[in-house]
Amino acid sequence: MESKIAMHITEQHCQGKRSDQSLNEDGLIITDGFAAVVDGVTSKSVRHLWQLSGGVVAKNLAIEVIAKLPTDTDMRHVQQTIDERFRQAYRECGADAAIFTDEPVERLQANAVVYSAARYEAWLFGDCQIMVNGEQIPTMKHVDELLGELRAFTALALQNKGEHQSSNPTDPARAMILPFLRLQSQFANKRGPYGYFVFDGFADLTYPIRTVHINSGDEVVLASDGYPLLRPTLAESEQELQRLKREDPELIHEYQSTKGFTPGNDSFDDRTYLRFIA
């Protein structure tokens, strides 16, 4: 059956950083009304309430919701419906409801960029990426820049002490900043310099969501932040990723991240890329 989708898909790729793809916290979905990239947030949980990981569960739930959306759904209804599905998951998991209210680090969390074919709009729910006609729109959160620099500072300090080895299968610098990564959740869906949007079941329905208007014929790229140097094609984006892996495997120089490339993994993060003509 011929699809009614009002876009022409050029390229799509979704790959987890580990060999076991069931652990991939990224996902993409294309329906008659929507194209979306979803990035489940890497869990910093202390309680470990979810099987596989909270990021996998969050990604799967968000995609489940988008798959069922009517084609004319607006941005706020998308936000509300995904958030409601997360709250339902909290009720179903059997944990004390107060945990999710009082301990935001234990919540499911996901980011997404969603394109509405009916409305010719893309909605940036968090820090997933978008490029239109070769022009990228910045989505990096200030708190991620801060903690990426903190990890770079920590890694370089350990190097100066002779304690850090690039071949180390663990990431001592990330381990040292983990308390700050957990503190970051205190700013979820808050306003202010360190605040940021994330789907977590407690989203603010008045939170400013960046909307990008798309024209018919525009070339659009949607991607997760697993492509730190996004380019207009998948091949170019992959080339930049592999160059970073060679030249800055710890991700503390050219691109400062809260995690680096781990030996044995395909990349430093799960990654998703979707290119289409509106």
Side-chain angles (χ1 to χ4, degrees):
M1 181 181 296
E2 184 178 356
S3 173
K4 300 176 183 178
I5 196 165
M7 64 191 91
H8 172 66
I9 306 301
T10 307
E11 296 184 302
Q12 58 180 299
H13 182 68
C14 183
Q15 183 172 347
K17 62 180 179 287
R18 302 180 183 88
S19 57
D20 183 353
Q21 291 302 301
S22 70
L23 302 177
N24 187 357
E25 296 175 328
D26 271 15
L28 65 83
I29 183 169
I30 302 163
T31 71
D32 285 348
F34 298 95
V37 166
V38 179
D39 182 358
V41 176
T42 301
S43 176
K44 291 86 179 175
S45 171
V46 176
R47 296 178 180 270
H48 306 293
L49 300 172
W50 308 99
Q51 289 187 346
L52 295 181
S53 75
V56 171
V57 175
K59 176 259 296 187
N60 288 339
L61 292 179
I63 285 179
E64 170 192 307
V65 169
I66 295 168
K68 299 175 183 177
L69 291 173
T71 58
D72 62 346
T73 304
D74 64 18
M75 180 268 291
R76 288 300 179 193
H77 188 68
V78 173
Q79 178 187 352
Q80 181 179 12
T81 307
I82 292 176
D83 229 47
E84 285 176 350
R85 183 64 185 90
F86 281 21
R87 289 196 295 275
Q88 180 185 346
Y90 298 153
R91 294 191 294 270
E92 294 170 347
C93 83
D96 186 342
I99 290 173
F100 303 110
T101 302
D102 301 337
E103 303 174 35
V105 74
E106 299 298 337
R107 298 173 187 167
L108 299 171
Q109 298 180 74
N111 300 301
V113 53
V114 180
Y115 170 70
S116 165
R119 297 175 181 271
Y120 283 95
E121 291 179 346
W123 306 313
L124 289 161
F125 296 107
D127 60 4
C128 284
Q129 304 183 86
I130 185 169
M131 177 180 283
V132 181
N133 297 327
E135 182 177 349
Q136 184 175 0
I137 294 167
T139 57
M140 175 74 82
K141 304 192 297 287
H142 179 43
V143 69
D144 284 345
E145 293 176 328
L146 173 70
L147 296 180
E149 185 172 0
L150 178 61
R151 179 176 160 276
F153 165 84
T154 306
L156 291 169
L158 290 173
Q159 284 183 9
N160 288 341
K161 291 180 66 177
E163 296 181 6
H164 195 66
Q165 297 178 2
S166 60
S167 60
N168 194 326
T170 63
D171 187 338
R174 182 175 174 85
M176 291 179 72
I177 71 165
L178 184 57
F180 295 98
L181 294 172
R182 288 178 171 142
L183 275 177
Q184 175 181 327
S185 65
Q186 297 295 327
F187 295 96
N189 298 306
K190 301 287 178 61
R191 313 296 175 97
Y194 302 113
Y196 60 94
F197 177 90
V198 69
F199 288 116
D200 68 352
F202 292 83
D204 174 359
L205 287 176
T206 67
Y207 201 96
I209 302 298
R210 181 79 177 267
T211 296
V212 180
H213 297 281
I214 308 295
N215 296 314
S216 180
D218 283 350
E219 183 173 69
V220 181
V221 173
L222 310 181
S224 69
D225 60 2
Y227 287 103
L229 302 175
L230 189 63
R231 297 293 181 258
T233 69
L234 175 59
E236 291 172 303
S237 300
E238 285 283 335
Q239 286 169 4
E240 286 293 271
L241 183 64
Q242 295 306 315
R243 183 183 62 79
L244 274 180
K245 189 175 183 178
R246 291 191 309 271
E247 298 179 3
D248 186 17
E250 293 183 88
L251 295 181
I252 58 174
H253 298 294
E254 179 180 351
Y255 179 84
Q256 295 180 340
S257 173
T258 58
K259 52 192 169 186
F261 290 89
T262 300
N265 284 354
D266 184 72
S267 186
F268 77 103
D269 200 0
D270 306 319
R271 61 193 190 272
T272 304
Y273 185 101
L274 176 64
R275 180 161 67 105
F276 61 88
I277 306 296

